Amino acid sequence: MSTARSEALDRTDPTYVRPLLTVFLGWLWVMVGVNLAAPLYAVYADEFAFSGLVLTTVFTTYAVTLVATLLLCGRVADRFGRRPVILAGLAVGCLALVVFAAARSTAWLYGARALQGIAVGLISGPATAALVEIDPLRDTRRPALLAGLAQAVGSGLGPVVSGCLAQWAPDRLRLSFLVGLAGTLVAVAFAWRLPEHARGREPWRIQWPRLPDGLRTDFLRVGLTAGLVWASLALYLSVVPSYVGALLATDNLALLGVNSALACFASAGTQVWARAHGDRPHRSQALGLTLLAAGLVLLVVSSLTRSLPTVLVGAVVTGVGHGLAFTPAHHKLNTFVPQHRRAEVSAAFVCCIYVLVGGAVVAVGLIDETGGLTRGVGIVGSLLTAGSLVTAGWQVVRGR
């Protein structure tokens, strides 16, 4: 039987399609829940009377607990299996949405974001590994695409859902989280029937994720690429809604949600295109990082022009850059990681992403305290631009 025919059969085999969709859609819906609050932070700031620094630390609490969970539990799925850890992450995600819906003060927001960090920290490693293991052809590019789409599409849908519900439906600070909770409970029901692969034999213990010998340079390059593109996208999911609201003097939550989602959806579309047309990961990452830098420049320039089109074009260019760079970086990671270390190294990869995400968002908040939000976005955007261009040069040199 030809390879093409074999692939066609594998794609339609329910034993392959159902678990693959379960992992993909479960991870996507968790990311929807994580980003439901994006356009609502300005409302919470008015409701609970907190500053821009508090807003950014609330957002960054998620990154801190996510990284801590990865460091503590990076090998749990390699030892105990993918399904129980994914189910645990979904359960914590449900609890986080309940806390958001019941929030009565800033402390509740910190608690909800901390729980969301734990949820994604538990899910991201085993979900990444499961996507590779479920794929019967062990095609490292397809699982990387699905992982990227789950994160990008989920991150985009969250602000759209909450922004539209908050603008036009009742109970704007609770309804979207209840919708998110219902979807996550459905994901739990499907994940309960996931097939389980063989578990590891090494006793589990808390430890830092380790990198196999000889892979540190390659890992650093793809980790830095992924961290830069996600730190840039994180700005659109945290401070940019407030930034755009102040810039354009609007409190339309649907508009702010769509603006945040635009970069995510542009990334998702680009990832699909790159999967079909891209075959040189180093070149794709270099081009993506360069476009990311251009999008960040447009975001900074928008503060001078006070132009909605400039903001929207900047979001699209940033998203295209993200999509071109992230999937090839993730694919490259999958090609050089040994199977028995996949969840552990995937956890370290996600750590790289969220260290930069947390650092970028907190930096904006600190600058906002003394120089204003516009200045904070400008300085951090400029630093991310410089880092993106330097890393793009590294990718070009490595790809020769």
Side-chain angles (χ1 to χ4, degrees), residues 8-59:
L9 289 175
D10 286 329
R11 283 178 179 273
T12 58
D13 185 350
T15 61
Y16 156 58
V17 174
R18 191 178 297 115
L20 193 68
L21 286 177
T22 295
V23 175
F24 170 71
L25 293 175
W27 194 359
L28 182 149
W29 197 255
V30 167
M31 297 307 299
V32 169
V34 164
N35 292 286
L36 285 171
L40 304 179
Y41 285 125
V43 180
Y44 282 123
D46 291 337
E47 187 86 6
F48 301 145
F50 58 71
S51 67
L53 179 60
V54 172
L55 184 155
T56 56
T57 55
V58 166
F59 182 89

Side-chain angles (χ1 to χ4, degrees), residues 197-340:
H197 292 267
R199 303 178 181 185
R201 297 181 178 179
E202 183 180 348
W204 172 77
R205 58 188 181 277
I206 296 173
Q207 65 180 43
W208 291 77
R210 299 168 299 176
L211 298 177
D213 293 338
L215 300 182
R216 288 179 174 82
T217 300
D218 287 337
F219 177 87
L220 179 60
R221 186 170 52 255
V222 297
L224 185 57
T225 296
L228 285 166
V229 298
W230 272 106
S232 302
L233 205 62
L235 294 181
Y236 283 90
L237 297 169
S238 56
V239 298
V240 167
S242 297
Y243 168 79
V244 172
L247 199 66
L248 304 177
T250 181
D251 58 359
N252 187 311
L253 297 177
L255 173 62
L256 299 181
V258 168
N259 178 69
S260 293
L262 197 56
C264 300
F265 292 152
S267 172
T270 303
Q271 289 180 54
V272 173
W273 179 88
R275 169 67 174 84
H277 298 89
D279 58 357
R280 298 182 64 180
H282 294 296
R283 184 174 63 181
S284 294
Q285 290 174 79
L287 178 58
L289 288 165
T290 303
L291 288 174
L292 187 85
L296 290 168
V297 168
L298 287 172
L299 177 63
V300 173
V301 168
S302 67
S303 66
L304 302 175
T305 62
R306 306 186 73 84
S307 165
L308 178 60
T310 304
V311 173
L312 298 180
V313 171
V316 171
V317 175
T318 299
V320 171
H322 178 281
L324 279 175
F326 179 67
T327 297
H330 202 171
H331 160 58
K332 194 66 180 176
L333 179 78
N334 288 340
T335 62
F336 62 68
V337 175
Q339 181 176 346
H340 68 285

